[in-house]
Amino acid sequence: MSADSLLPEQPGHLGTIAEGEHVPEAQPAASDQKASSLLVVGHTGSVNSVAWSPDGTCVATASGDATVRLWNASSGRPTATLEGHTGSVTSVAWSPDGTRLATGSGDRTTRLWDVASGRQITALEGHTSPVTSVAWSPDGTRLATGSLDTTVCLWDVASGHQTAALKGHTSPVTSVAWSPDGTRLATGSGDHTVRLWDAASGHQVTTLEGHTDWVKSVAWSPDGTRLATGSGDRTVRLWDATSGHQTATLGGHTGDVDSVAWSPDGVHLASGSGDATVRLWNVASARQITTLKGHNSPVTSVAWSPHGTRLASSSGDHTVRLWDAALARQIAIFRAHNNGVASVAWSPDGTLLTGNDGRLVCLWDVASGHLTGRLGGHTGPITSVAWSPDGTRLASASWDDTVRLWNATSGHHITTLEGHTGWVLSVAWSPDSTRLASGSEDNTVRLWDATSGHQIRTFEGHTGWVLSVAWSPDGTYLASESGDNTVRLWDVASGHQIRTFEDHAGSRNSVAWSPDGTRLVTGSNGGTVCLWDVASGHQIRALEGHTSPVISVAWSPDGTRLAAGSRDGTVRLWDLATHQITTLKGHSRPVTSVAWSPDGTRLASASWDDTIRLWNAVTE
């Protein structure tokens, strides 16, 4: 909520951006997104507040044109206009059951509306100055309202009677918010403070001090343990709701922060500002993820859809924009030293990420983002890294024609596998961790004993570089993909070629097995991702979307989704049941490798832009 239409301009101070960690540790994602998914136009005045219906099908907006409008959240088309206020409508909020709306206005009233009929139910009068903020209690029985008269009023919804007036702020109250359990209220004010109140007694519990300008927005985390606040000092601040201590300052906006909102899962924050942008933040790292650009006037309000899949923002430019919240999927960036990252792999327990920094193998702790190891020895750039399924060893392939094995705990070099006569482009462990397969520029696939380091067998047949190798889940077959436009299936025990999957549309770059071993997925230079039936060798389906060659493909551990990285700089996720496509943007150069976390909740992507990016892969 923003009451800027009622408040005088306040001087602000540029927020301080928290000092970043040194590369190659995790860094904040800071890509700009300039296109919204839907633009909603209709108000003739500043849109001061936006709110989603509890079921996510409708958006309500409050405007300086003295109206409240309802919009279909899918189409952006208006469904109703609520008229009755005689001044700018500053705030709008849905009742928890979605049947009613509450609105606050410059006409000093709070009005309740029946959503189905669009009729006004009642007008609550008591404030002596404009109402700046309204909020429903979680059980829907009470309302809290804040005003320029410096008070917070509590109301019984059924009777319309005022039950309490909370006094303590020494300047206008700009924002009110109930704790998720309904026991406390948080209020922000022009007196630079946030105050917490006991909702039953009306007594002030504590005062949060730290902002150096008006506190314009306050929001509780979904679990009720933290608060986020936005201020005219151009910062977002995080607070411990129990102790009242400030835990983080998020700097980056170049204008007043007029609105803050938590994602439903509590992982992200959105902030809207007088600088006309919306910024998304990762709460755990207190780092900015991305900046959403599109509004050409101050952003007055931001709100997440109930499932966290979309974000709504309102602005003084008379519009509301609905954004795809996939923009908030990026969790962290692990940065290399200007050498490009060719491959990424997860440890089997999901705690470590492995990638390369030129000729070095790098290991990062996923939780902290800290670099935990750099393994050196290769004399050429590394092309592929892989963890043994038992988590004890790492394998790395290189342009130096070798594969090296490393102790994953100590980082010590165990042995070097030599035999290829060209660059080794791919390496993969057998499911039981006893063998390795490698593909090379010499057109061969080679099988190695992981204990002795001895070569067991050479698979010959490809007439082009072998770009990717993959074991079947049961370890009986190998699939290899080559620049000769074929994928070949090999029987590991006999060394015989069983089947050739041919596609004359373009050479293919990557191959992966489905978790049940019945299908293969491949990525091609034509930008398509193809599914193949292993038993018949027939192509099942071609997935389109990428605009450049697909370099890497990976199945989710449960087999329901596919991820692909491309030279177009994007990662795309396909839901195989719903056909839904999600595009993850952030890399500035080709994506060379994608890998799912063992539990399927996160995705890692590597790129020539010298980064590994970590994404939230949870679907709604």
Side-chain angles (χ1 to χ4, degrees), residues 164-184:
L166 311 184
K167 298 180 180 180
H169 283 296
T170 58
S171 288
V173 176
T174 58
S175 181
V176 296
W178 291 84
S179 63
D181 63 5
T183 62
R184 291 173 292 172

Side-chain angles (χ1 to χ4, degrees), residues 460-477:
E460 296 181 298
H462 282 296
T463 58
W465 296 5
V466 179
L467 304 170
S468 180
V469 292
W471 290 80
S472 63
D474 63 4
T476 59
Y477 303 107

Side-chain angles (χ1 to χ4, degrees), residues 241-271:
T242 301
S243 67
H245 294 156
Q246 183 179 310
T247 59
T249 299
L250 313 182
H253 280 296
T254 57
D256 294 5
V257 181
D258 294 320
S259 182
V260 292
W262 293 81
S263 62
D265 60 7
V267 173
H268 299 104
L269 270 174
S271 56

Side-chain angles (χ1 to χ4, degrees), residues 37 45 59 96 134 139 173-174 195 255 274 327 373 389 411 434 442 452 507 525:
S37 58
V59 172
V134 297
D139 63 5
V173 176
T174 58
R195 296 178 189 242
L327 299 170
T434 63
D442 64 13
S452 67
S507 63
N525 278 342

Side-chain angles (χ1 to χ4, degrees), residues 107-121:
D107 65 12
R108 306 180 186 180
T109 69
T110 299
R111 299 182 188 235
L112 302 185
W113 311 81
D114 178 76
V115 173
S117 66
R119 293 176 181 171
Q120 181 179 308
I121 300 170

